């Protein structure tokens, strides 16, 4: 804090002592912005998650009601219990403005409301309240597991269908305690010899036809005007009027509501930002993010100031006059903003899970455009760029080897019978002759495979040369520009080492983030790459 106060005092003096002649500070004041060089109390809390597992539960149905008409001069009125209300539904919607899954990751479990119980006078129960899961655009939703009680009941009824002949004509003791509701004032002995009607078959809501087929696999890459149904609420129980027969005119039982369906989903962001800042620790990425947006990322003169990705938004059209820049999205609509991700710094051998590890290398492949932030005052800029690309190339190679290894472990090439003697009935078949190859899944794991992402080397990229206001940085920047020109012309190998690496409009933009100078060109260049 003492150094920061001293710096502020120097910037307000009338004259500043320099190595050369004295400079009048009133003519050339030192630019200072509290947003670019903030005090610690201005730091915002970084909360970000690009992957989470979510448990969703559709609402259960309300119970049916056991009620009878009670009026004057009516000694024993008929049954008039209402049906239970259906449970709440679960919807999902991709919306603009959301950039992280941390809100859903913090909750973990979302449950729709249960339907209300039925009431007397044939009043049906109120349906349960729905829940809406809002996710960022670019979220991939994949199903891990599900529990559907209605499907299990259908299977149970199908298996018991063959036993109906043995119990036909005898309906006693065929009630299930978890399905029936008995009249409270009745004694248990009354139901010992009572005859119950057959249990109604499980009912499903008509909305189940709108559910995506199992297993759920959704790619929400565009904003959704209307939510999508994931799980319909369960149906409510039946009131006692449904069981009126000639032999039982006043039934004293009703059914309970159905249990709601449960889903376990894995949500993962396929795209965390339009632009991702890639650089070594203490290269000025957080300060650059503050200069481009209103982010309150933590800044400091030490390595690993950023421990979680910071997301900032660059506003192109603030609805106050003409837009600063004209850009159009993939759907043809004009873009009013684009997002930037400040990814924690990479160190040598980051692909071996050193430093902050592979988790943040994974974030890099989830940005549409890569901006390599190079510190001109920290040594050879060309070598720094090559070191960053080396880590990315090693990360891609590691992913390829892991994918091949998992495939080999998961699939076993097995030849039927091998050298054993085939049995007589199957001797003439392909299995007997050993001509049929059978692939066996040996893993049995329920873990979902990793998302398939485009190669990092195929993404558009450019270089942001920070701290260009320091002395003696011009030769370093000139060498960087010449190296990028050679890459674009194809005279040198792509820094990733791949032949199909992106060699489009390569450029190095010199900026001074602490002064806010030259940062406007970053937005202009980013828009040109996003429009390609």
């Amino acid at each position: 804090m003492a150094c920061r106060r001293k710096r502020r005092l120097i910037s307000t003096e009338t004259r500043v002592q320099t190595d050369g002649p004295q400079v009048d500070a009133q003519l050339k004041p030192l630019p200072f912005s509290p947003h670019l060089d903030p005090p610690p109390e201005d730091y915002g809390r970084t909360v970000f998650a690009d992957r989470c597992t979510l448990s969703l539960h559709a609402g259960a149905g309300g119970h049916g009601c056991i009620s009878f008409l009670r009026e004057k001069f009516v000694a024993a009125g008929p049954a008039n219990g209402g049906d239970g209300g259906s449970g709440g539904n679960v919807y999902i919607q991709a919306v603009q403005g959301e950039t992280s899954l941390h809100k859903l990751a913090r909750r973990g479990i979302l449950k729709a409301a249960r339907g209300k119980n039925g009431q007397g006078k044939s009043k049906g129960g109120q349906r349960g309240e729905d829940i809406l899961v809002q996710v960022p655009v670019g979220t991939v939703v994949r199903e891990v597991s599900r529990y559907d009680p209605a499907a299990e009941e259908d299977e149970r009824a199908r298996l018991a269908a063959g036993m109906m002949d043995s119990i036909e004509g005898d309906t006693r003791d065929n009630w299930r305690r978890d399905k029936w509701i008995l009249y409270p004032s009745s004694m248990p002995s009354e139901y010992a010899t009572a005859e119950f009607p057959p249990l109604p078959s499980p009912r499903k809501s008509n909305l189940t036809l709108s559910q995506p087929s199992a297993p759920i696999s959704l790619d929400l890459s565009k904003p959704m005007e209307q939510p999508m149904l994931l799980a319909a609420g369960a149906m409510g129980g039946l009131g006692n009027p449904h069981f009126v027969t000639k032999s039982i005119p006043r039934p004293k039982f009703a059914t309970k509501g159905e249990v709601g369906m449960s889903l376990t989903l894995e949500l993962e962001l396929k795209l965390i930002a339009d632009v991702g800042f890639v650089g070594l620790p203490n290269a000025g990425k957080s300060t650059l993010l503050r200069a481009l947006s209103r982010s309150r990322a933590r800044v400091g003169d030490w390595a690993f100031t950023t421990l979680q990705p910071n997301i900032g938004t660059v506003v192109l059209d603030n609805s106050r006059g003409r837009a600063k820049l004209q850009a159009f999205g993939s759907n043809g609509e004009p873009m009013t903003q684009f997002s930037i991700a400040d990814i924690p710094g990479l160190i040598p051998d980051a692909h071996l899970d050193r430093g902050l590890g592979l988790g943040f290398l994974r974030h890099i492949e989830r940005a549409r455009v890569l901006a390599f932030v190079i510190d001109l005052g920290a040594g050879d800029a060309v070598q720094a760029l090559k070191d960053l690309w080396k880590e990315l190339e090693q990360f891609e190679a590691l992913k390829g080897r892991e994918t091949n290894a998992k495939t080999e472990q998961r699939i076993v090439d097995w030849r039927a019978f091998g050298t054993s003697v085939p049995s007589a009935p199957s001797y003439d078949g392909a299995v007997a002759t050993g001509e049929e190859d059978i692939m066996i899944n040996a893993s049995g794991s329920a873990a979902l495979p990793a998302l398939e992402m485009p190669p990092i080397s195929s993404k558009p990229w450019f270089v942001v040369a920070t701290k260009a206001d320091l002395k003696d940085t011009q030769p370093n920047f000139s060498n960087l520009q010449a190296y990028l020109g050679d890459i674009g012309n194809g005279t040198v190998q792509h820094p990733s080492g791949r032949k199909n690496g992106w060699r489009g409009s390569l450029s190095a933009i010199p900026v001074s983030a602490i002064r806010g100078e030259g940062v406007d060109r970053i937005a202009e260049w980013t828009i040109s790459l996003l429009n390609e």
Side-chain angles (χ1 to χ4, degrees):
M1 289 297 295
C3 296
R4 182 174 284 107
R5 292 194 189 99
K6 184 178 180 181
R7 178 178 180 180
R8 293 176 182 174
L9 291 175
I10 292 176
S11 63
T12 56
E13 290 180 354
T14 57
R15 290 188 179 273
V16 179
Q17 296 293 334
T18 61
D19 295 337
Q22 294 183 349
V23 180
D24 191 350
Q26 294 180 353
L27 297 179
K28 295 182 179 180
L30 175 64
F32 172 74
S33 172
H35 182 68
L36 299 180
D37 189 16
E41 57 268 17
D42 188 58
Y43 297 155
R45 180 170 176 260
T46 301
V47 181
F48 179 81
D50 65 340
R51 179 190 294 175
C52 71
T53 301
L54 196 62
S55 296
L56 302 177
H57 300 268
H63 301 328
C65 179
I66 305 173
S67 176
F68 303 96
L69 178 64
R70 300 183 63 182
E71 291 183 356
K72 190 176 182 180
F73 306 116
V74 178
N80 67 347
D83 298 339
S86 58
N89 306 322
V90 180
Y91 295 90
I92 191 170
Q93 184 180 18
V95 297
Q96 291 182 338
E98 294 287 341
T99 57
S100 174
L101 297 173
H102 70 275
K103 298 178 183 177
L104 299 177
R106 183 171 57 245
R107 299 185 65 177
I109 300 176
L110 297 176
K111 295 183 178 180
R114 175 181 173 272
K116 303 295 183 181
N117 296 337
Q119 302 178 14
K121 298 182 180 180
S122 301
K123 293 182 180 179
Q126 183 181 1
R127 66 182 304 272
E129 186 177 355
D130 302 333
I131 59 173
L132 176 61
V133 181
Q134 292 186 335
V135 298
V137 176
T139 302
V140 176
V141 182
R142 295 185 291 177
E143 178 182 326
V144 178
S145 62
R146 71 167 52 204
Y147 169 66
D148 191 353
E152 291 190 359
E153 288 296 328
D154 290 340
E155 183 67 17
R156 184 196 295 248
R158 187 184 65 83
L159 295 176
M163 303 173 59
M164 294 302 295
D165 296 339
S166 61
I167 60 174
E168 185 176 0
D170 184 9
T171 59
R172 293 180 300 175
D173 297 334
N174 66 341
W175 69 285
R176 294 168 51 187
R177 187 179 298 272
D178 60 332
K179 293 296 182 181
W180 292 97
I181 295 178
L182 306 181
Y183 198 59
S185 61
S186 301
M187 300 298 295
S189 59
E190 297 182 17
Y191 300 99
T193 59
E195 295 184 359
F196 286 85
L199 187 67
S201 59
R203 298 178 300 150
K204 294 183 179 180
S205 172
N206 295 332
L207 294 177
T208 56
L209 299 175
S210 302
Q211 295 178 177
S213 58
I216 297 176
S217 180
L218 305 175
D219 187 357
L220 308 180
S221 58
K222 296 181 180 180
M224 302 170 60
E225 297 182 357
Q226 296 181 350
M228 175 186 295
L229 177 67
L230 287 182
M235 297 295 294
L238 300 177
N240 59 339
H242 290 272
F243 308 103
V244 174
T245 60
K246 292 182 179 180
S247 59
I248 310 177
R250 302 179 76 245
K252 294 184 178 181
F253 43 79
T255 59
K256 294 183 179 180
E258 303 288 343
V259 181
M261 182 174 64
S262 301
L263 292 173
T264 301
L265 303 178
E266 182 181 271
L267 278 63
E268 188 171 358
L269 285 180
K270 185 175 65 174
L271 180 68
I272 65 173
D274 295 315
V275 183
F277 285 164
V278 183
L280 298 173
N282 202 25
K285 299 184 296 297
S286 299
T287 305
L288 184 60
L289 181 66
R290 278 179 166 264
L292 287 168
S293 66
R294 299 184 63 182
S295 172
R296 297 172 57 196
R298 184 183 183 184
V299 297
D301 191 15
W302 60 86
F304 296 112
T305 307
T306 302
L307 300 178
Q308 291 286 341
N310 296 312
I311 307 297
T313 302
V314 179
V315 178
L316 303 177
D317 187 1
N318 56 4
S319 301
R320 298 177 181 176
R322 182 175 296 178
K324 299 179 181 178
L325 297 172
Q326 294 290 337
F328 298 91
S330 58
N331 54 1
E333 297 182 357
M335 294 176 57
T336 59
Q337 60 188 22
F338 67 88
S339 56
I340 300 178
D342 171 23
I343 301 172
L346 303 180
I347 65 172
D349 295 335
H351 67 281
L352 299 178
D353 210 12
R354 295 181 181 176
L356 296 181
L358 297 174
F360 300 107
L361 282 169
R362 181 171 53 85
H363 293 150
I364 294 175
E365 63 180 354
R366 283 164 169 76
R368 294 175 59 186
V369 177
L370 301 182
F372 290 86
V373 182
I374 305 297
D375 183 2
L376 292 178
D380 188 1
V382 175
Q383 186 61 41
L385 180 61
K386 291 181 178 179
D387 292 341
L388 291 174
W389 267 113
K390 178 182 177 182
E391 295 302 322
L392 299 184
E393 189 274 332
Q394 294 290 342
F395 173 67
E396 284 191 330
L398 180 63
K399 283 187 58 180
R401 290 194 295 268
E402 290 181 350
T403 302
N404 295 336
K406 290 180 180 179
T407 303
E408 293 176 359
Q409 294 176 1
R410 189 168 58 247
I411 298 178
V412 179
D413 188 2
W414 179 74
R415 187 171 296 274
F417 297 105
T419 58
S420 61
V421 179
S423 59
S426 62
Y427 186 78
D428 296 332
V431 174
T433 59
E435 297 176 357
E436 181 176 351
D437 293 339
I438 301 177
M439 309 305 289
I440 299 178
N441 187 349
S443 65
S445 175
L448 295 177
L451 289 178
E452 295 184 2
M453 306 296 296
I456 299 179
S457 57
S458 64
K459 295 178 179 291
W461 60 280
F462 64 100
V463 178
V464 179
T466 60
K467 305 179 185 180
D469 56 331
L470 299 180
K471 293 183 179 180
D472 302 328
T473 57
Q474 184 63 33
N476 199 7
F477 179 73
S478 299
N479 295 335
L480 179 62
Q481 274 189 320
Y483 176 67
L484 294 179
D486 294 339
I487 296 176
N489 298 330
T491 56
V492 298
Q493 187 183 22
H494 193 274
S496 66
R498 298 180 180 269
K499 296 181 180 180
N500 58 348
W502 191 82
R503 299 174 181 267
S505 303
L506 295 177
S507 176
I509 302 176
V511 300
S512 174
I514 193 65
R515 297 172 177 263
E517 298 176 351
V519 296
D520 293 338
R521 288 191 56 197
I522 298 177
E524 298 174 359
W525 196 262
T526 300
I527 291 301
S528 64
L529 294 179
L530 292 176
N531 289 335
E532 289 186 357

